[in-house]
Amino acid sequence: MPQKHRPEPARSAPVDAKATPVVASAPRPGRAPRAPFVLLVVGLLCGGLVSLLLLNTVLARDSFELSKLRAENNKYRVQKEEMEHDNRQFEMPGAVADKAGKQGQSPDWETSNILTPGHPNSRVASDGQTLAGQEPVPGTGR
């Protein structure tokens, strides 16, 4: 460590009656101590490091929770798809006929209603209906 240069104190001249007295100048102030500043900087760095570690821990915990919730959502999605598949199977004509037969119901083949054009009791299936989302316009026939 280099040595600091300190000014030598002012020396008084021999006392002379005619000479004005020489006043010694005040010594220059020394450097401020470095230890408090170094401790402050180290403390701030340590505080920042600890807060960064805590933030990282919180984010990691949220990440684990997010992956757990995604897995749960996938499980419920698969369960929903299986239930939709089962419902489609139950709505198929063969399954409906089998269930009806188990309940003692049977098709009535003797009283069939055959729709024929021009017959007073028959009509086209789409008569009086409009397309989905379209309102009929009065007076236009549409």
Side-chain angles (χ1 to χ4, degrees), residues 2-127:
Q3 293 190 358
K4 299 176 189 173
H5 174 67
R6 291 189 182 169
E8 296 180 11
R11 296 184 187 194
S12 59
V15 178
D16 194 4
K18 296 180 186 175
T20 58
V22 178
V23 177
S25 64
R28 285 194 305 175
R31 286 189 173 169
R34 290 186 181 182
F37 178 73
V38 171
L39 289 176
L40 175 69
V41 170
V42 169
L44 288 175
L45 287 175
C46 289
L49 184 65
V50 167
S51 62
L52 187 64
L53 182 64
L54 289 174
L55 180 65
N56 193 13
T57 303
V58 168
L59 291 177
R61 184 182 65 209
D62 289 345
S63 175
F64 283 122
E65 186 175 338
L66 178 65
S67 64
K68 182 182 81 168
L69 291 174
R70 281 186 179 161
E72 194 172 330
N73 279 346
N74 285 337
K75 181 182 77 169
Y76 288 138
R77 182 184 49 79
V78 168
Q79 184 179 2
K80 177 188 167 207
E81 289 174 359
E82 289 174 352
M83 293 171 82
E84 287 175 349
H85 180 267
D86 291 344
N87 283 341
R88 277 192 231 108
Q89 292 296 323
F90 292 139
E91 292 172 351
M92 305 236 0
V96 172
D98 290 343
K99 284 192 177 188
K102 289 178 183 177
Q103 293 178 0
Q105 299 175 354
S106 62
D108 188 11
W109 297 110
E110 287 77 33
T111 58
S112 62
N113 292 330
I114 299 175
L115 299 176
T116 56
H119 191 271
N121 291 335
S122 66
R123 66 177 183 84
V124 178
S126 64
D127 278 349

